[in-house]
Amino acid sequence: MQNEFSKIEKLLEEILVEIKKVSGNLKNNTLSSVIIPEAEEKLYKQAIKLITEHESVSATLLQRKFRIGYASSARLLDKLEKGKFIGPANGAKPRKVLKKK
């Protein structure tokens, strides 16, 4: 049993080394730092498509439509604001969509 764990651990280390070679931007030596940015980019593109169909957007809208938590929806709003797709925060009010279809 101990030998099997050693083999698995060695295999995981080899995979991590290969990911480092391919990605070149592995943060904190974790797989999630490679996988999550790709998922976030896909979500960002979906969010752009969604918000262009609305007058305003909120964290709650993103949470409901994409079934994500508040932290993820807040990061997404920040990214959309940086991309000039939505206006700045105004308290708890929804943000105005700047770019539409």
Side-chain angles (χ1 to χ4, degrees):
M1 189 87 147
Q2 181 85 11
N3 193 19
E4 289 180 34
F5 286 125
S6 296
K7 287 179 183 178
I8 292 171
E9 189 173 66
K10 184 177 180 188
L11 181 60
L12 289 173
E13 287 176 13
E14 290 173 5
I15 291 170
L16 190 57
V17 167
E18 289 302 313
I19 290 173
K20 285 180 186 179
K21 287 179 187 176
V22 173
S23 72
N25 65 351
L26 190 61
K27 300 173 188 170
N28 302 325
N29 295 329
T30 62
L31 285 174
S32 63
S33 62
V34 173
I35 296 167
I36 291 173
E38 291 177 12
E40 285 182 356
E41 188 61 32
K42 183 178 178 182
L43 187 61
Y44 178 67
K45 289 177 182 177
Q46 291 173 340
I48 291 170
K49 184 177 178 183
L50 172 73
I51 67 168
T52 57
E53 300 169 355
H54 292 84
E55 295 290 319
S56 61
V57 63
S58 65
T60 304
L61 174 70
L62 297 176
Q63 286 176 278
R64 283 194 334 261
K65 294 294 183 179
F66 298 122
R67 295 183 175 180
I68 58 176
Y70 177 77
S72 296
S73 63
R75 277 194 310 273
L76 199 49
L77 286 173
D78 290 342
K79 194 170 181 181
L80 290 167
E81 183 180 352
K82 283 183 183 178
K84 306 281 190 221
F85 288 96
I86 61 174
N90 183 12
K93 295 179 182 177
R95 297 178 186 221
K96 184 178 178 183
V97 175
L98 303 175
K99 294 183 183 178
K100 300 184 182 186
K101 281 186 175 180

